[in-house]
Amino acid sequence: MVQDLDGETEQLRASVPLARIELLGVPAWTVTRHAEARQLLMDTRLVKDLDAWGLWRTGQVTHAWPLIGMIDAGRSMFTVDGSEHRRLRTKTSQALTPRRLEAIRPDIEKFTEHLLDALAEQGKDGAVDLKTVFAQPLPMKVVGLLMGVDEALHPMLTRQYKAFFSMLTPQEDRLALLAELDVFYAELVREKTAHPTDDLTSALILAEEGGEPLTEEEVVGNLKAMVAAGHETTIGLILNAVRALLAHPDQLRKVLDGEIPWETVVEETLRWDTPTTHLLMRFATEDIQVGDHVIAQGEGVVISYRAIGRDTTHHGDDADTFDITRPTPIRHMTFGHGPHICPGAALSRVEAGIALPALFGRFPRLRLAIGDDEIRKLPVMTQNDMEAFPVLLHG
């Protein structure tokens, strides 16, 4: 089903509002409709605490399960609830403020221009992979700048996260690379503790509001998850927007002519072709009634954002259509809802809002070098990610 997201989405939507699914042999529920997802994401009876999962408590799920690293990811704002979640999230909010995002905007613009120069050079005689040369390194450069990570280490992080998400990576290798990432981030945190600079890592360590200071484990957990979620999401957002516009040249023309703002392109892409297909996982601390279904205490719940973005009851009968001319505001939940809404949403929007107009401004005749139906997805269960995106820069 990885190669047929439209087919998967259609099957999930047929089981609204909840679908019974199996994740590599592990049963769970997934919510597929906007209204019910919004309700469940605010329900305090659904928690991130792994110990609330019945299958984990009984030993039916162990670290041998390939997806466990997305749930048992160390202590961070992504894995706790209530007051502890607020404490950890407050620290991140202090470190990732709108003022900080505006301060790095010139850096994002500079990174973008340098990568477009590289794209022009590599694509001057034929096809070039937009993902490898542009969409993938840009968010890694940005998150590296925020974290204070030397650029020489970016390729290593890219490889590690690619291997982590791939379903082709043997589980023993995945567990080993997770341990390596823990060591990397722990060493980074110790270095920034001894020699703080003006970056997100130092800000997390030094933040003083919101209760007790973060422990090393908590800073590591926050950084590890933020890099995974932040840079992967932005890669998908940029590539999915380019793909949608190239498949709808009439809409692309409206954007290039200034009739439709790039912000609208970003929001419609987020709704229509979500960077994250499924988000793992929350657990019921008591029975929860959802329509005619009951999520039993201890059961796991997945949020299927791609199906939610195509929900016809919320987005209209044409929810399967990419349309930046929609007459009403695009209200989606692609970055989540409630206390655990993605803290990097604003950063991803800023990056895409800079990258897309710069790309098409430099290469207005950009087109795919292969047929759209020849694009292959990576073997990843949770991310909407492509193997490659070969393009011709000058038509």
Side-chain angles (χ1 to χ4, degrees):
M1 297 302 291
V2 170
Q3 298 302 329
D4 184 16
L5 285 180
D6 287 344
E8 179 186 77
T9 297
E10 186 59 34
Q11 287 190 37
L12 290 174
R13 288 191 310 185
S15 303
V16 295
L18 291 178
R20 196 66 173 162
I21 61 172
E22 188 174 285
L23 299 170
L24 303 180
V26 173
W29 291 101
T30 187
V31 57
T32 64
R33 199 156 59 182
H34 184 101
E36 284 78 7
R38 186 180 178 91
Q39 170 191 337
L40 286 172
L41 288 169
M42 291 294 293
D43 196 321
T44 57
R45 296 172 296 175
L46 272 184
V47 300
K48 290 294 195 81
D49 183 2
L50 180 60
D51 290 331
W53 193 11
L55 296 177
W56 177 258
R57 290 199 309 268
T58 60
Q60 293 169 266
V61 172
T62 68
H63 281 105
W65 186 50
L67 297 175
I68 193 63
M70 298 183 187
I71 303 170
D72 186 22
R75 183 175 173 79
S76 75
M77 65 179 175
F78 298 91
T79 59
V80 298
D81 303 283
S83 60
E84 278 300 275
H85 171 260
R86 289 190 292 274
R87 181 178 75 87
L88 298 184
R89 190 179 176 94
T90 295
K91 303 296 186 182
T92 304
S93 298
Q94 289 174 245
L96 202 59
T97 61
R99 184 169 63 88
R100 183 178 291 269
L101 294 185
E102 280 305 306
I104 67 169
R105 179 180 286 273
D107 294 290
I108 301 175
E109 293 170 346
K110 179 184 67 176
F111 294 154
T112 299
E113 289 304 312
H114 288 169
L115 290 171
L116 289 176
D117 290 342
L119 192 68
E121 177 62 26
Q122 295 190 37
K124 63 183 179 182
D125 296 321
V128 58
D129 183 9
L130 187 68
K131 177 181 178 178
T132 300
V133 182
F134 182 71
Q136 184 169 272
L138 177 61
M140 184 55 77
K141 284 178 177 290
V142 174
V143 78
L145 172 69
L146 280 169
M147 291 169 48
V149 175
D150 190 288
E151 190 167 348
L153 297 172
H154 294 180
M156 177 275 293
L157 285 175
T158 299
R159 289 193 302 271
Q160 293 285 66
Y161 280 105
K162 180 180 180 180
F164 167 72
F165 281 111
S166 175
M167 289 297 97
L168 300 182
T169 301
Q171 181 62 358
E172 59 270 23
D173 293 348
R174 183 179 290 106
L175 293 175
L177 72 85
L178 284 173
E180 291 171 10
L181 284 172
D182 282 338
V183 171
F184 168 79
Y185 286 115
E187 290 177 349
L188 175 66
V189 170
R190 290 165 193 161
E191 170 64 23
K192 296 296 181 180
T193 300
H195 308 287
T197 54
D198 184 22
D199 54 51
L200 185 147
T201 304
S202 301
L204 284 174
I205 295 166
L206 299 174
E208 296 179 352
E209 298 178 15
E212 293 296 317
L214 300 191
T215 64
E216 179 181 289
E217 178 192 6
E218 290 167 343
V219 176
V220 167
N222 273 9
L223 291 174
K224 187 169 61 175
M226 286 174 66
V227 175
H231 103 277
E232 286 288 335
T233 298
T234 306
I235 294 170
L237 172 55
I238 292 171
L239 292 179
N240 292 345
V242 174
R243 185 181 188 181
L245 289 172
L246 294 182
H248 300 83
D250 55 330
Q251 297 189 49
L252 174 58
R253 177 46 53 194
K254 290 181 182 294
V255 181
L256 295 181
D257 289 345
E259 297 178 33
I260 303 290
W262 283 102
E263 178 185 2
T264 301
V265 174
V266 170
E267 297 308 316
E268 177 67 349
T269 301
L270 287 168
R271 177 201 72 80
W272 183 69
D273 203 10
T274 57
T276 299
T277 49
H278 313 288
L279 189 65
L280 280 55
M281 187 183 299
R282 287 170 169 77
F283 311 103
T285 57
E286 59 182 80
D287 291 356
I288 302 174
Q289 185 83 35
V290 181
D292 296 331
H293 304 285
V294 174
I295 303 169
Q297 179 181 2
E299 289 189 318
V301 178
V302 174
I303 313 298
S304 288
Y305 282 113
R306 195 172 195 275
I308 292 165
R310 302 285 186 99
D311 178 8
T312 55
T313 61
H314 182 77
H315 296 291
D317 292 339
D318 64 345
D320 284 327
T321 301
F322 177 82
D323 184 6
I324 59 176
T325 68
R326 292 180 182 278
T328 56
I330 303 163
R331 296 188 175 93
H332 60 78
M333 290 196 306
T334 296
F335 286 118
H337 179 69
H340 283 279
I341 192 169
C342 177
L347 177 61
S348 190
R349 285 182 166 109
V350 168
E351 290 180 61
I354 291 171
L356 291 170
L359 173 66
F360 281 101
R362 181 83 73 94
F363 308 111
R365 296 172 58 203
L366 181 81
R367 68 176 176 88
L368 269 172
I370 59 174
D372 184 84
D373 59 355
E374 296 179 74
I375 294 174
R376 300 286 297 172
K377 296 291 185 180
L378 285 174
V380 176
M381 185 167 292
T382 57
Q383 304 297 119
N384 182 1
D385 202 353
M386 308 171 197
E387 288 183 359
F389 197 83
V391 296
L392 295 169
L393 301 178
H394 305 292

